Amino acid sequence: MKIGAFDSGLGGLTVVKAINEVFKGADILYIADTAYAPYGIKTHEEILNRCIELTDYLIKTHNIEALIVACNTATSASIKYLRLNYPSLIVIGTEPGIKPAIQITKTLKVGVMATNVTLRGEKYQALVDELSKDKEITLFEQACPGLVEQIEKGEIFSETTKDMLKVWLTPMKENKVDTIVLGCTHYPLVQESIKEIMSEQINLIETGPAIAKRLNQLCKEKGHCKIDPLKISIYYTGTINEIMIKEIFKDSKNKDEIKVRKCEI
């Protein structure tokens, strides 16, 4: 089983890490598209065209059988097109975990941290409209400009990053938000700082485990499961912070076997 995945940078590796913890018998070919990062400042058309390029590369070069769009912004721009035009692929997108957040909140006040593109996207708005019918919740939506760039630089514990987070999170804390949706796959990498600012009692919803569970289910249905070890290859299109890759996978059993190399797309 060959699984392709991509994001604008390191963020999608939080999804790959979750897959690594529950999935067996696959090769994961991950593209950190750092040459085109961040996606959040690109137009819808630019993001869609890039997603098509990356998908074509993964199919032609690696013969993938499943594709994970490991980015909320890229999912908003491309998921409908990819599912329609690549019918032989298992295609899994990434969307903010609004549903589980609504299910577990006690104060009925939920924070959503995401990029502007995700928050403005039709897919996100439709999801909020549908799920908010079940509970009368108050959403505190917060775009986080510059946070992806800080994470890509490896500044997950820097004072600059913490100061940025305090500006965005203080209004949520003051309004008794008890659950925060991490609406970008990069954001789990600063979850310790978020917990520190909000308090340890805060519920943080990330999408990696849900994607891993869904992928496992679909692969079983198609008979793709094996008992071989899972192999991970990480490709990058611009530059990449390899120290952060080691940080992300520091607790993984196969961390020393992960291959990192540059590719031209």
Side-chain angles (χ1 to χ4, degrees), residues 127-144:
L127 183 67
V128 169
D129 291 343
E130 178 62 28
L131 294 176
S132 59
K133 294 176 184 177
D134 300 329
K135 266 188 183 180
E136 195 169 323
I137 62 165
T138 302
L139 285 182
F140 293 80
E141 298 172 331
Q142 179 61 61
C144 303

Side-chain angles (χ1 to χ4, degrees), residues 194-254:
I194 294 173
K195 289 177 182 177
E196 182 183 322
I197 294 166
M198 294 295 293
S199 83
E200 286 294 329
Q201 286 68 43
I202 191 72
N203 301 308
L204 299 181
I205 308 295
E206 56 180 296
T207 53
I211 291 173
K213 183 178 179 181
R214 179 62 175 158
L215 177 65
N216 203 22
Q217 176 189 357
L218 291 174
C219 288
K220 283 182 179 179
E221 290 174 2
K222 292 183 176 290
H224 287 317
C225 290
K226 302 177 184 178
I227 60 172
D228 303 323
L230 185 143
K231 300 175 185 177
I232 300 172
S233 297
I234 299 170
Y235 299 86
Y236 57 96
T237 60
T239 59
I240 200 164
N241 188 333
E242 294 198 36
I243 294 175
M244 276 299 297
I245 294 175
K246 292 178 181 178
E247 174 69 21
I248 293 167
F249 290 100
K250 64 183 179 182
D251 298 323
S252 300
K253 292 181 180 179
N254 57 342

Side-chain angles (χ1 to χ4, degrees), residues 8-9 33-42 148-149 152:
S8 62
D33 192 21
T34 50
Y36 282 74
Y39 287 166
I41 63 172
K42 302 289 195 300
V148 167
E149 289 87 340
E152 288 289 324

Side-chain angles (χ1 to χ4, degrees), residues 13-48:
L13 289 175
T14 61
V15 176
V16 173
K17 182 183 178 183
I19 295 170
N20 192 32
E21 292 171 355
V22 302
F23 203 83
K24 301 297 180 186
D27 290 346
I28 296 184
L29 299 311
Y30 176 82
I31 299 175
D33 192 21
T34 50
Y36 282 74
Y39 287 166
I41 63 172
K42 302 289 195 300
T43 66
H44 177 97
E45 185 177 5
E46 286 173 331
I47 298 168
L48 173 58

